Amino acid sequence: MNLVFWIATNILGQPAILIGLIVLLGLVLQKKTLSQIMTGTFKAVIGFMIINGGAGIIVNALNVFQPLWKEVFGLEAQELGQFLGQQVFGQQFGSAVTLAMVIGFLVNVLLAKFTKWNYIYLTGHMMFWTAMIFAGIIINTVGTEIATWKLIVFLSLFLGLYWTLQPALTQPIMRRITGGDQIALGHTSASVALLGAFFGKVFGNREQDSESMQLPKGLEFLRDSNVIIALIMSALYLIGALILLAKPETPAIAELKALAGDQNFAIFSLIQAFQFASGIAIVLFGVRMLVGEIVPAFKGLADTIVPNAKPALDCPIVYPYAPTASILGFVGSFVGALIWLVVLGKTVGYVFVPTMIVLFFHSATAGVFGNATGGVRGALIAGFVTATVVAWGQYMMVTFLINSTIPDTAMWAADSDMFILGPLVALISRFIF
């Protein structure tokens, strides 16, 4: 058990290490030279770490963005009642979750080898959180006295099947986005990506592609994705900061303003917008480096162990193909999140926690998918759909599906696919345990 925990923590739980080992193995199987093996392996790991570094910058900027708009709307934290909480839950069921994640990954590899769904899921950190949230749903449904082996077996099979089928379901649109069939999407934003593509096709216009918008000569600078990202985010941060400065000061607002130090808060917020834009630019650079190494290296692994297998990778993999659409998706989700904040609060009394990190990464992915089928309008609609799934999904999960186990975790670590599949996990649990 200690070995399994070590593997889950240090390899499966560390995507950079997992990807580096896969690239190393793929290049060795292709009998590349030592120089090629070293170059490919290290560039793949560095590419992934660059993506992580960019994502960290984005997260830091969003850590200002979320409380900023929370105070604009005067939101309060949600009262959750009695529950185990992440720490206690982890102590009781963490080993079972870890073992289920490892076995689930092996199930994914076996299904990739022996079925037509030849996708290997490589987004390790999402593997862990998906396993944790689904375990929370199962135990919330059947109780803490569940036999550990039953929890592990069900969770392993369900996760292995999910990690195999999810990339397969999104691949038809991925082919359209990437223009090839070498990489797949392996991320919990798949459900909103597919919904975004569907609604984009129904209500959008594919001819109005976000990346080839016709602009007046004086606005040609908007063709640069870095510029348009900075422009949109600057507007959102600055508007929020100005509204906040005009409001009566509360302890929470004072604490938020204190982050700026001696700087004017509006200027500080504007700088956060540019930090966000720089994070996106870094992520896009890292994605290009990673894909440039992992795709050719993966061929060796696929041909030898899992013929024709395709790597299913984290969601930023799609952003370089339509960077403008990714930001349009976020704009659509931001508007949707504000609407659902009010609607949920007024109708069911739930204070939706608009986790901007989830909303950004999921809606940006959905935006690219929505643009592929419905152009600019499709990207915006896909973002709004993402906000709808995340807002109502969070309410349903925190209130009904996971309320006695880890609702605190579900408010920030649960996301689109977990919200969509959560009721199914609960329903199956009622019948088999």
Side-chain angles (χ1 to χ4, degrees), residues 135-143 400-401 404-405 422 425-427 429-430:
I137 294 172
I138 295 167
I139 293 159
N140 188 84
T141 303
V142 302
F400 302 109
L401 296 178
S404 69
T405 51
V425 172
L427 181 63
S429 299
R430 290 187 186 278

Side-chain angles (χ1 to χ4, degrees), residues 291-349:
V291 171
E293 301 303 327
I294 197 170
V295 170
F298 200 82
K299 184 178 182 300
L301 179 68
D303 290 346
T304 306
I305 301 175
V306 187
N308 302 314
K310 299 175 185 65
L313 302 170
D314 203 349
C315 62
I317 208 75
V318 304
Y319 301 166
Y321 296 98
T324 303
S326 66
I327 296 303
L328 290 174
F330 177 62
V331 171
S333 75
F334 179 68
V335 172
L338 297 183
I339 292 172
W340 294 127
L341 275 172
V342 176
V343 172
L344 280 166
K346 296 292 186 183
T347 57
V348 295

Side-chain angles (χ1 to χ4, degrees), residues 23-200:
V23 170
L24 173 66
L25 182 58
L27 294 173
V28 168
L29 291 172
Q30 292 181 76
K31 299 180 180 179
K32 298 292 185 179
T33 65
L34 178 62
S35 177
Q36 290 172 318
I37 292 170
M38 295 290 289
T39 301
T41 301
F42 280 99
K43 284 183 73 175
V45 173
I46 291 169
F48 187 86
M49 296 307 292
I50 288 173
I51 295 171
N52 269 4
I57 293 173
I58 293 169
V59 167
N60 286 336
L62 290 175
N63 283 337
V64 174
F65 188 86
Q66 180 171 334
L68 171 67
W69 281 93
K70 175 176 175 287
E71 292 306 320
V72 166
F73 282 91
L75 300 176
E76 299 293 336
Q78 184 73 12
E79 293 295 331
L80 298 178
Q82 297 295 317
F83 59 93
L84 291 177
Q86 181 63 52
Q87 184 176 7
V88 174
F89 186 85
Q91 290 171 352
Q92 291 187 23
F93 303 103
S95 296
V97 169
T98 300
L99 186 56
M101 182 177 71
V102 174
I103 298 173
F105 180 70
L106 295 176
V107 171
N108 170 217
V109 173
L110 289 173
L111 288 172
K113 182 174 179 62
F114 295 110
T115 71
K116 64 179 181 180
W117 303 307
N118 52 352
Y119 304 93
I120 297 180
Y121 195 99
L122 296 178
T123 312
H125 61 293
M126 293 315 304
M127 288 180 176
F128 175 79
W129 287 115
T130 306
M132 181 65 72
I133 293 296
F134 286 169
I137 294 172
I138 295 167
I139 293 159
N140 188 84
T141 303
V142 302
T144 56
E145 301 305 314
I146 182 174
T148 302
W149 70 269
K150 289 183 179 180
L151 175 64
I152 292 170
V153 169
F154 171 65
L155 201 52
S156 300
L157 293 175
F158 191 90
L159 290 171
L161 191 61
Y162 163 61
W163 291 332
T164 305
L165 293 179
Q166 179 265 293
L169 290 171
T170 53
Q171 194 63 4
I173 307 296
M174 278 292 288
R175 292 190 194 101
R176 184 182 299 180
I177 291 167
T178 64
D181 199 29
Q182 294 177 308
I183 56 173
L185 176 68
H187 193 259
T188 50
S189 59
S191 56
V192 291
L194 289 172
L195 287 170
F198 171 76
F199 284 105

Side-chain angles (χ1 to χ4, degrees), residues 353-415:
V353 180
T355 310
M356 290 301 166
I357 297 165
V358 170
L359 282 177
F360 171 73
F361 286 103
H362 287 239
S363 63
T365 306
V368 175
F369 275 67
N371 177 68
T373 59
V376 172
R377 198 186 311 152
L380 289 167
I381 292 170
F384 185 84
V385 168
T386 301
T388 304
V389 169
V390 172
W392 285 96
Q394 185 187 107
Y395 161 65
M396 294 295 294
M397 182 168 284
V398 169
T399 307
F400 302 109
L401 296 178
I402 207 165
N403 51 294
S404 69
T405 51
I406 46 174
D408 53 334
T409 306
M411 294 177 81
W412 66 270
D415 45 40

Side-chain angles (χ1 to χ4, degrees), residues 212-268:
S212 57
M213 290 187 293
Q214 295 298 318
L215 297 169
K217 198 162 187 178
L219 297 177
E220 286 184 345
F221 65 91
L222 293 176
R223 292 188 184 280
D224 189 312
S225 61
N226 292 317
V227 173
I228 197 167
I229 290 167
L231 186 63
I232 291 171
M233 296 308 295
S234 295
L236 293 175
Y237 273 90
L238 197 54
I239 290 169
L242 293 174
I243 293 173
L244 204 65
L245 288 170
K247 294 187 71 172
E249 187 160 302
T250 64
I253 291 177
E255 185 178 344
L256 192 56
K257 288 180 181 178
L259 295 174
D262 295 331
Q263 218 171 18
N264 177 272
F265 184 69
I267 300 299
F268 169 76

